[in-house]
Amino acid sequence: MRIFVTGASGWIGSGVVPELIGAGHEVVGLARSDASAAALVAAGAEAERGTLDDLEILEKAAASSDGVIHLAFKHEIAFTGDFQGAADADRRAVEVFGEALAGSDRPLVIASGVLGLAPGRVATEMDGRGIDPALAAHGPGPQARAATAQFTLSLASRGVRSSVVRLPPTCHGDGDNGFMAIIVGIARAKGVSGYVGGGANRWPAVHRIDAAKLFRLAVEKAPAGSALHAVAEEGVPIRNVAEVIGKHLDLPVISVTAEDAGEHFGFLGGFLGADSPASSALTRELLGWQTTEPGLIEDLDQDYYYRLP
């Protein structure tokens, strides 16, 4: 298959591209810069220069492909105050992909998330089929992104083999600059390794390489309208995360109250206390996905999470 990948040089994409190429697929990756384009070519892919705002480029690339994996998201503006703008750009791109692939039974796979799907209980692939009113507490941006996931699944009725891969809040590994790296940085800056409340709340997790395998399986054979969970570990207690970070940084491990979480953890304060375990049992049964990489605590026990820039 000839597969068009957005976000191809990003954290997830840089794992997905070699996974696809290793399985015999041709890859065309969207590249925003010369450096990204060069990295893609070095990995054995073709580079298509453009951004998520270049809708004509997206349409042509999707139309000339055998399938699309959409990983790009404007995180740089989402986490600096304009989540709505990032969600809107994401929706426009998915609409373009839907039009380009309509009636062809070609696959469209997009990335979404499991955090908050079923607070306090284990979420399954059957959850999240509607928009949770609780998302309103986080503003219109998260609601809009959830709506885009629902729209993607609805494209199955228009002859698109659409699927949504829901990622845990931590997709870890060497080079991770996501939530775990941020938590390490906060601990170093504050002089303590913290968790919220009792720390028994759980976050699901997956290694980047295992997530890449699932994106490949999804584009190859996921049935139309599939919601898939890239979850290797159902739920890792956040206190365990704080303890291993405290050990490596030689810092005390402390509880932070929910009321003080925002001040201590910044924007992460509203998420770090969430109890949001998730299962991938249905995904594993459907696609035969198997995870082989280290778990989150094992990964956090490695030196690379504590290297200073």
Side-chain angles (χ1 to χ4, degrees):
M1 296 171 67
R2 181 176 175 86
I3 302 169
F4 179 53
V5 182
T6 72
S9 59
W11 174 237
I12 305 294
S14 59
V16 171
V17 168
E19 176 69 23
L20 292 170
I21 291 172
H25 301 295
E26 297 179 25
V27 176
V28 180
L30 185 68
R32 294 188 299 171
S33 67
D34 290 341
S36 294
L40 285 170
V41 171
E46 296 178 31
E48 179 71 57
R49 285 300 303 272
T51 73
L52 284 185
D53 296 320
D54 296 319
L55 300 183
E56 290 187 7
I57 291 175
L58 300 184
E59 190 278 331
K60 290 178 181 178
S64 62
S65 74
D66 297 313
V68 175
I69 297 178
H70 175 47
L71 302 172
F73 190 73
K74 293 186 175 184
H75 292 100
E76 68 279 8
I77 69 170
F79 295 132
T80 54
D82 190 15
F83 200 113
Q84 183 65 53
D88 289 344
D90 184 53
R91 177 58 176 258
R92 288 190 295 268
V94 172
E95 288 176 346
V96 165
F97 295 143
E99 287 297 324
L101 300 175
S104 68
D105 292 321
R106 286 176 287 170
L108 169 61
V109 184
I110 77 161
S112 185
V114 299
L115 191 64
L117 275 180
R121 66 171 176 83
V122 178
T124 77
E125 294 87 342
M126 301 308 296
D127 289 308
R129 295 287 178 158
I131 306 300
D132 187 345
L135 282 174
H138 301 293
Q143 287 181 297
R145 197 168 192 199
T148 297
Q150 300 307 313
F151 171 74
T152 301
L153 295 178
S154 77
L155 290 171
S157 66
R158 298 187 58 201
V160 179
R161 186 162 59 80
S162 59
S163 60
V164 173
V165 174
R166 297 172 178 159
L167 292 162
T170 176
C171 186
H172 53 87
D174 190 359
D176 177 12
N177 61 358
F179 287 164
M180 288 300 119
I182 292 171
I183 293 169
V184 170
I186 291 170
R188 184 177 275 123
K190 297 287 186 178
V192 295
S193 181
Y195 54 88
V196 178
N201 61 293
R202 299 153 292 173
W203 272 17
V206 69
H207 193 283
R208 180 178 71 113
I209 300 305
D210 283 328
K213 295 173 188 174
L214 182 55
F215 278 101
R216 174 182 60 80
L217 291 170
V219 80
E220 288 176 343
K221 59 182 183 179
S226 297
L228 307 167
H229 282 190
V231 172
E233 294 177 280
E234 189 173 279
V236 180
I238 294 300
R239 180 167 183 165
N240 294 6
V241 170
E243 287 172 345
V244 71
I245 291 172
K247 180 185 74 172
H248 274 267
L249 297 180
D250 194 22
L251 296 174
V253 179
I254 68 164
S255 171
V256 177
T257 67
E259 293 75 17
D260 292 335
E263 180 180 353
H264 187 92
F265 295 106
F267 80 93
L268 267 180
F271 302 102
L272 197 59
D275 187 40
S276 194
S279 167
S280 58
L282 297 178
T283 297
R284 293 171 187 266
E285 181 180 355
L286 180 67
L287 298 181
W289 180 54
Q290 296 182 358
T291 57
T292 59
E293 300 302 312
L296 176 59
I297 298 302
E298 183 179 351
D299 235 354
L300 282 171
D301 214 15
Q302 307 304 310
D303 290 340
Y304 41 76
Y305 269 100
Y306 310 98
R307 299 172 188 149
L308 287 169

